[in-house]
Amino acid sequence: GVPELPARPIAERRVSRRIQVGPVAVGGGAPVSVQSMTTTRTSDIGATLQQIAELTASGCQIVRVACPTQDDADALATIARKSQIPVIADIHFQPKYVFAAIEAGCAAVRVNPGNIKQFDDRVKEIAQAAQDHGTPIRIGVNAGSLDGRLLKKYGRATPEALVESALWEASLFEEHGFRDIKISVKHNDPVVMIEAYRQLAGQCDYPLHLGVTEAGPAFQGTVKSAVAFGALLSQGIGDTIRVSLSAPPAEEVKVGIQILQSLGLRQRRLEIVSCPSCGRAQVDVYRLADEVTAGLEGMEVPLRVAVMGCVVNGPGEAREADLGVASGNGKGQIFVKGEVIKTVPESRIVETLIEEAMKLADRMEQDGVGP
Ligand code: SF4
């Protein structure tokens, strides 16, 4: 049948306060959102908006832009106004850009307490400006730029050090009555990162932005992020996620969405259930799975398509899915909603599956299933 959100979620979500990043609610039981960061020079407004449009199309809900120079700060107002999704300005080193970003109408500002030196003296003014504009602040602690004092105290970026840095910074804002905060404590080692977020989750009620920093190239970064986010989200920890990959940002979004779908935290869309193939396979399962995936790319409805190599598990899986094929003897039995509707030669399996998938999708859309 139609895979819906499981009746029982994977875990009770941790109770966190809610902040608004533009129209996107973060925390307080809001759906876990997916974000990414542009790789363009922010001062290049055209290129940045173009990349934001691509990210939006890939399903990104919040986008962050770096702001290392005055030219970048000057570009923020136009970018924030023209972007289809809320824009967070990412500020290291310069408190003056925090004010610029707030005034530019950014949906939030990320600050790194380890990198903004004269920050502590100016928290009062920042809290005031953020309060006046309704702009939340992300306190983004990063293992690579941990506050010198804490590095000395702990010797390295331990979970305790990351958490202490974040909560210390939050306490400076709290002194001025400002609590419109979300927090991240990123580390490149999922083991340290998971422990840091667990500790942080127990010590505050701020919404948490999950990230494994410098996670690496696509394959390694995907696995690290999936493992780390999976461990935390399956305990109800995490309100918004960013997968960091040394790859185009739209890839990060795809991975992020897939992680949420895998955990049942977001409605599944197209799902290909394909077997790994083995010595019993009577068709080329990899090719079939790839061709079916390519042919159905972009499908918006929650359709489960089984592509199975032989009759051992084939009929069972194909029957459980909305649509499937169990192959054998150069032929494929095509199942729709549990019934064999036809048997086709191997050369026609892919086109038949795609055809039937389109029909099912049309029906589902008419019935109002989907986004
Ligand atoms: Fe092997 Fe058949 Fe299972 Fe595929 S479905 S892994 S071919 S036994």
Side-chain angles (χ1 to χ4, degrees), residues 33-320:
S33 49
V34 172
Q35 44 180 298
S36 183
M37 188 165 179
T38 52
T39 56
T40 51
R41 299 242 169 267
T42 302
S43 55
D44 186 344
I45 295 175
T48 302
L49 284 170
Q50 171 62 32
Q51 199 174 52
I52 292 177
E54 287 161 20
L55 282 168
T56 307
S58 70
C60 184
Q61 293 165 286
I62 298 172
V63 65
R64 190 150 46 99
V65 300
C67 185
T69 71
Q70 186 61 48
D71 286 345
D72 300 314
D74 293 342
L76 291 175
T78 309
I79 293 171
R81 196 174 65 246
K82 294 199 171 161
S83 169
Q84 305 89 325
I85 50 178
V87 174
I88 301 182
D90 190 75
I91 319 273
H92 295 258
F93 306 114
Q94 298 263 28
K96 69 177 178 188
Y97 298 150
V98 176
F99 296 103
I102 291 171
E103 265 147 43
C106 288
V109 179
R110 180 273 172 111
V111 298
N112 180 339
N115 273 349
I116 300 194
K117 300 300 172 208
Q118 336 89 306
F119 192 75
D120 295 357
D121 322 328
R122 305 201 60 183
V123 168
K124 184 176 179 192
E125 293 162 68
I126 292 174
Q128 190 61 54
Q131 192 84 61
D132 292 347
H133 289 79
T135 314
I137 302 276
R138 166 153 74 96
I139 296 174
V141 174
N142 206 313
S145 50
L146 186 65
D147 193 318
R149 280 175 307 151
L150 292 163
L151 207 50
K152 217 162 157 194
K153 175 170 169 190
Y154 289 95
R156 64 198 156 84
T158 60
E160 291 74 15
L162 296 170
V163 170
E164 187 173 328
S165 175
L167 292 179
W168 157 253
E169 204 57 45
S171 75
L172 297 178
F173 280 96
E174 287 159 4
E175 272 172 33
H176 304 289
F178 187 85
R179 290 192 163 75
D180 222 2
I181 292 170
K182 62 179 175 139
I183 299 184
S184 62
V185 280
K186 299 192 183 182
H187 198 288
N188 62 44
D189 180 341
V191 175
V192 180
M193 176 273 194
I194 291 168
E195 185 52 30
Y197 277 98
R198 278 189 186 146
Q199 292 183 13
L200 184 61
Q203 292 179 45
C204 69
D205 70 348
Y206 292 117
L208 303 183
H209 160 121
L210 302 187
V212 176
T213 189
E214 294 105 32
F219 174 72
Q220 180 187 296
T222 299
V223 174
K224 273 189 175 182
S225 301
V227 168
F229 296 2
L232 290 164
L233 290 167
S234 67
Q235 299 183 326
I237 298 170
D239 300 286
T240 181
I241 61 173
R242 191 261 170 124
V243 175
S244 306
L245 301 177
S246 306
E251 290 300 308
E252 300 182 344
V253 175
K254 261 169 61 183
V255 173
I257 290 173
Q258 189 69 48
I259 291 173
L260 296 182
Q261 289 181 351
S262 299
L263 291 165
L265 288 168
R266 187 172 284 206
Q267 192 183 59
R268 298 187 171 129
R269 296 209 178 157
L270 175 66
E271 191 182 359
I272 306 286
V273 180
S274 58
C275 80
S277 187
C278 73
R280 289 186 206 91
Q282 295 178 346
V283 291
D284 183 348
V285 177
Y286 298 173
R287 186 181 57 79
L288 280 186
D290 279 347
E291 288 181 9
V292 171
T293 305
L296 296 178
E297 206 197 315
M299 183 153 269
E300 298 272 313
V301 290
L303 198 66
R304 212 176 140 96
V305 182
V307 179
M308 306 292 289
C310 79
V311 292
V312 170
N313 294 319
E317 286 289 1
R319 220 171 258 131
E320 284 297 303

